[in-house]
Amino acid sequence: QVQLVESGGGLVQAGASLRLSCAASGRTFGAYAMAWFRQAPGKEREFVSAINWGWDSGRTYYSDSVKGRFTISRENAKNTVYLQMNSLKPEDTAVYYCAANVRGQIGFGTGAYEYWGQGTQVAVSS
């Protein structure tokens, strides 16, 4: 009942910036937890960042690998979550996925989220 659509990926050089968007539609009411994960070829899908959607003042969480470079934010009027990615590194190359937990519970594993977008590709060249 919740649809998530990511956009904003692309091919950039190291040091560049991208802003990913995740637009949610359908049953988006309540205290959702929204997260970004990424998956590189041959690797497990890993946690990147998360934000409380409907409560707790939009508290945010980041993996150590992106802390200080990436910023997650929300725009409630558009039902959209963003991931501002600065100082991109080649190791950031992956497909980035948006995910939602309708219980409003932040989690750091893929199993914590019931809804997923189709992913958007980010490629960072050296």
Coordinates of all heavy atoms in Angstrom, one line a residue, residues 2-48:
V2 N 2.1 1.1 0.1 CA 3.1 2.2 0.1 C 4.0 2.0 -1.1 O 4.6 0.9 -1.3 CB 3.9 2.4 1.4 CG1 4.9 3.5 1.2 CG2 3.0 2.6 2.5
Q3 N 4.1 3.0 -1.9 CA 5.0 3.0 -3.1 C 6.1 4.0 -2.9 O 5.8 5.1 -2.5 CB 4.2 3.3 -4.4 CG 3.2 2.2 -4.7 CD 1.9 2.4 -4.0 OE1 1.4 3.5 -3.9 NE2 1.3 1.3 -3.5
L4 N 7.3 3.5 -3.2 CA 8.5 4.4 -3.0 C 9.2 4.5 -4.4 O 9.5 3.4 -5.0 CB 9.4 3.8 -2.0 CG 8.8 3.6 -0.6 CD1 9.9 2.9 0.3 CD2 8.4 4.9 0.1
V5 N 9.5 5.7 -4.8 CA 10.2 5.9 -6.1 C 11.4 6.7 -5.8 O 11.3 7.9 -5.4 CB 9.3 6.5 -7.1 CG1 10.0 6.7 -8.4 CG2 8.0 5.6 -7.3
E6 N 12.6 6.2 -6.1 CA 13.8 6.9 -6.0 C 14.2 7.6 -7.3 O 13.9 7.1 -8.4 CB 15.0 6.0 -5.5 CG 14.7 5.2 -4.3 CD 14.3 3.8 -4.6 OE1 13.6 3.6 -5.6 OE2 14.6 2.9 -3.7
S7 N 14.9 8.7 -7.2 CA 15.5 9.3 -8.3 C 16.7 10.1 -7.9 O 16.9 10.3 -6.7 CB 14.4 10.3 -9.0 OG 14.0 11.3 -8.1
G8 N 17.4 10.6 -8.9 CA 18.6 11.5 -8.6 C 19.9 10.9 -8.8 O 20.9 11.6 -8.7
G9 N 20.0 9.6 -9.1 CA 21.3 9.0 -9.2 C 21.9 9.4 -10.5 O 21.3 10.0 -11.4
G10 N 23.2 9.0 -10.7 CA 23.9 9.3 -11.9 C 25.4 9.0 -11.8 O 25.8 8.3 -10.8
L11 N 26.1 9.3 -12.8 CA 27.6 9.1 -12.8 C 28.3 10.4 -12.6 O 28.1 11.4 -13.3 CB 28.0 8.5 -14.2 CG 29.4 8.4 -14.5 CD1 30.1 7.4 -13.5 CD2 29.6 7.9 -15.9
V12 N 29.1 10.4 -11.6 CA 29.9 11.7 -11.2 C 31.3 11.3 -10.9 O 31.6 10.1 -10.7 CB 29.2 12.4 -10.0 CG1 27.8 12.8 -10.4 CG2 29.2 11.5 -8.8
Q13 N 32.1 12.3 -10.8 CA 33.5 12.2 -10.4 C 33.6 12.3 -8.9 O 32.8 12.9 -8.2 CB 34.4 13.2 -11.1 CG 34.6 13.0 -12.6 CD 35.6 13.9 -13.1 OE1 35.6 15.1 -12.9 NE2 36.6 13.4 -13.9
A14 N 34.7 11.7 -8.4 CA 35.0 11.8 -6.9 C 35.0 13.3 -6.5 O 35.5 14.1 -7.2 CB 36.3 11.1 -6.6
G15 N 34.4 13.5 -5.4 CA 34.3 14.9 -4.8 C 33.0 15.6 -5.2 O 32.7 16.7 -4.6
A16 N 32.3 15.1 -6.2 CA 31.0 15.7 -6.6 C 29.9 15.4 -5.6 O 30.1 14.7 -4.6 CB 30.7 15.2 -8.0
S17 N 28.8 16.0 -5.9 CA 27.6 15.9 -5.1 C 26.4 15.4 -5.9 O 26.3 15.7 -7.1 CB 27.2 17.2 -4.4 OG 28.2 17.6 -3.5
L18 N 25.5 14.7 -5.2 CA 24.2 14.3 -5.8 C 23.2 14.4 -4.7 O 23.5 14.2 -3.5 CB 24.3 12.9 -6.3 CG 25.0 12.6 -7.6 CD1 25.1 11.1 -7.8 CD2 24.3 13.2 -8.8
R19 N 22.0 14.6 -5.1 CA 20.9 14.6 -4.2 C 19.9 13.5 -4.7 O 19.3 13.7 -5.7 CB 20.2 15.9 -4.0 CG 19.1 15.9 -2.9 CD 18.4 17.2 -2.8 NE 17.4 17.4 -3.8 CZ 16.4 18.3 -3.8 NH1 16.2 19.0 -2.7 NH2 15.5 18.4 -4.8
L20 N 19.7 12.5 -3.9 CA 18.7 11.5 -4.1 C 17.3 11.9 -3.5 O 17.3 12.5 -2.5 CB 19.1 10.1 -3.6 CG 20.5 9.6 -4.0 CD1 20.8 8.3 -3.5 CD2 20.7 9.7 -5.5
S21 N 16.3 11.5 -4.2 CA 14.9 11.7 -3.7 C 14.2 10.4 -3.6 O 14.4 9.5 -4.5 CB 14.2 12.7 -4.6 OG 14.8 13.9 -4.7
C22 N 13.3 10.3 -2.6 CA 12.4 9.2 -2.5 C 11.0 9.7 -2.3 O 10.8 10.3 -1.2 CB 12.9 8.3 -1.3 SG 11.7 6.9 -1.0
A23 N 10.2 9.6 -3.3 CA 8.8 10.0 -3.2 C 7.9 8.9 -2.8 O 7.9 7.8 -3.4 CB 8.4 10.6 -4.5
A24 N 7.2 9.1 -1.7 CA 6.3 8.1 -1.2 C 4.8 8.4 -1.5 O 4.4 9.5 -1.5 CB 6.4 8.0 0.4
S25 N 4.1 7.3 -1.8 CA 2.7 7.5 -2.1 C 1.9 6.3 -1.6 O 2.5 5.3 -1.2 CB 2.4 7.6 -3.6 OG 2.9 6.4 -4.3
G26 N 0.6 6.4 -1.6 CA -0.2 5.4 -1.0 C -0.5 5.7 0.5 O -0.6 6.8 0.9
R27 N -0.5 4.6 1.3 CA -0.7 4.7 2.7 C 0.5 5.2 3.4 O 1.3 4.3 3.9 CB -1.3 3.4 3.3 CG -1.7 3.5 4.7 CD -2.3 2.2 5.2 NE -3.6 1.9 4.6 CZ -4.8 2.3 5.0 NH1 -4.8 3.1 6.1 NH2 -5.9 2.0 4.3
T28 N 0.7 6.5 3.5 CA 1.9 7.0 4.2 C 1.6 7.7 5.5 O 2.5 8.4 6.0 CB 2.5 8.0 3.2 OG1 1.6 9.1 2.9 CG2 3.0 7.3 1.9
F29 N 0.4 7.5 6.0 CA 0.0 8.1 7.3 C 0.8 7.5 8.5 O 1.1 6.3 8.4 CB -1.5 8.0 7.5 CG -2.3 8.6 6.4 CD1 -3.0 7.7 5.5 CD2 -2.4 10.0 6.2 CE1 -3.7 8.2 4.5 CE2 -3.1 10.5 5.1 CZ -3.8 9.6 4.3
G30 N 0.9 8.2 9.5 CA 1.5 7.7 10.7 C 3.0 8.0 10.8 O 3.6 8.7 10.1
A31 N 3.5 7.3 11.9 CA 4.9 7.6 12.2 C 5.8 6.5 11.5 O 6.1 5.5 12.0 CB 5.1 7.4 13.7
Y32 N 6.2 6.9 10.3 CA 7.0 6.1 9.5 C 8.5 6.3 9.8 O 8.9 7.4 10.2 CB 6.8 6.3 8.0 CG 5.6 5.7 7.4 CD1 4.4 6.1 7.7 CD2 5.8 4.6 6.5 CE1 3.3 5.6 7.1 CE2 4.7 4.0 5.9 CZ 3.4 4.5 6.2 OH 2.3 3.9 5.6
A33 N 9.3 5.3 9.7 CA 10.7 5.4 9.6 C 11.2 5.2 8.2 O 10.8 4.2 7.5 CB 11.4 4.4 10.5
M34 N 12.0 6.1 7.7 CA 12.4 6.1 6.3 C 13.9 5.9 6.3 O 14.6 6.5 7.2 CB 12.1 7.3 5.5 CG 10.6 7.6 5.5 SD 9.6 6.4 4.6 CE 10.2 6.6 3.0
A35 N 14.4 5.1 5.4 CA 15.9 4.8 5.4 C 16.4 4.7 4.0 O 15.6 4.5 3.0 CB 16.2 3.5 6.1
W36 N 17.7 4.9 3.8 CA 18.4 4.7 2.6 C 19.4 3.5 2.8 O 20.1 3.5 3.8 CB 19.2 5.9 2.1 CG 18.3 7.0 1.6 CD1 17.9 8.1 2.3 CD2 17.8 7.1 0.3 NE1 17.2 8.9 1.5 CE2 17.1 8.3 0.2 CE3 18.0 6.3 -0.9 CZ2 16.5 8.8 -0.9 CZ3 17.3 6.8 -2.0 CH2 16.6 8.0 -2.1
F37 N 19.4 2.6 1.9 CA 20.3 1.5 1.9 C 21.0 1.6 0.5 O 20.6 2.2 -0.4 CB 19.6 0.1 2.0 CG 19.2 -0.2 3.4 CD1 18.0 0.4 3.9 CD2 19.9 -1.1 4.2 CE1 17.6 0.1 5.2 CE2 19.4 -1.4 5.5 CZ 18.3 -0.8 6.0
R38 N 22.1 0.9 0.4 CA 22.8 0.8 -0.8 C 23.4 -0.6 -1.0 O 23.7 -1.3 0.0 CB 23.9 1.8 -1.0 CG 25.1 1.7 0.0 CD 26.0 2.9 -0.1 NE 27.2 2.7 0.8 CZ 28.1 3.7 0.9 NH1 28.0 4.8 0.3 NH2 29.1 3.5 1.8
Q39 N 23.6 -1.0 -2.3 CA 24.1 -2.3 -2.6 C 25.0 -2.2 -3.8 O 24.6 -1.9 -4.9 CB 22.9 -3.3 -2.9 CG 23.4 -4.7 -3.0 CD 22.2 -5.7 -3.0 OE1 21.1 -5.3 -3.2 NE2 22.5 -6.9 -2.7
A40 N 26.2 -2.6 -3.6 CA 27.2 -2.7 -4.6 C 27.2 -4.1 -5.2 O 26.9 -5.0 -4.5 CB 28.6 -2.3 -4.1
P41 N 27.7 -4.2 -6.4 CA 27.7 -5.6 -7.0 C 28.5 -6.5 -6.2 O 29.6 -6.2 -5.7 CB 28.4 -5.3 -8.4 CG 28.1 -3.9 -8.7 CD 28.1 -3.2 -7.4
G42 N 27.9 -7.7 -5.9 CA 28.6 -8.7 -5.1 C 28.6 -8.5 -3.6 O 29.2 -9.3 -2.9
K43 N 28.0 -7.5 -3.2 CA 27.9 -7.1 -1.7 C 26.5 -7.2 -1.2 O 25.6 -7.1 -2.0 CB 28.6 -5.8 -1.5 CG 30.1 -5.7 -1.8 CD 30.6 -4.4 -1.4 CE 32.1 -4.3 -1.7 NZ 32.7 -3.0 -1.3
E44 N 26.4 -7.3 0.1 CA 25.1 -7.2 0.8 C 24.6 -5.8 0.8 O 25.4 -4.8 0.7 CB 25.3 -7.7 2.2 CG 25.7 -9.2 2.3 CD 24.6 -10.1 1.9 OE1 23.4 -9.8 2.1 OE2 24.9 -11.1 1.3
R45 N 23.3 -5.7 0.8 CA 22.7 -4.4 0.9 C 23.0 -3.8 2.3 O 22.7 -4.5 3.3 CB 21.2 -4.5 0.7 CG 20.5 -3.2 0.5 CD 19.0 -3.4 0.0 NE 19.0 -4.0 -1.2 CZ 17.8 -4.2 -1.9 NH1 16.7 -3.8 -1.4 NH2 17.9 -4.8 -3.1
E46 N 23.5 -2.6 2.4 CA 23.9 -2.1 3.7 C 23.2 -0.8 4.0 O 22.8 0.0 3.1 CB 25.4 -1.8 3.7 CG 25.9 -0.8 2.7 CD 27.4 -0.4 2.8 OE1 28.0 -0.9 3.8 OE2 27.9 0.3 1.9
F47 N 23.1 -0.6 5.3 CA 22.4 0.6 5.8 C 23.3 1.9 5.5 O 24.5 1.8 5.6 CB 22.2 0.5 7.3 CG 21.7 1.8 7.9 CD1 20.3 2.1 7.9 CD2 22.6 2.6 8.6 CE1 19.9 3.2 8.5 CE2 22.1 3.8 9.2 CZ 20.7 4.1 9.2
V48 N 22.6 3.0 5.1 CA 23.3 4.2 4.9 C 22.8 5.3 5.8 O 23.6 5.9 6.5 CB 23.0 4.7 3.4 CG1 23.7 6.1 3.2 CG2 23.6 3.7 2.4

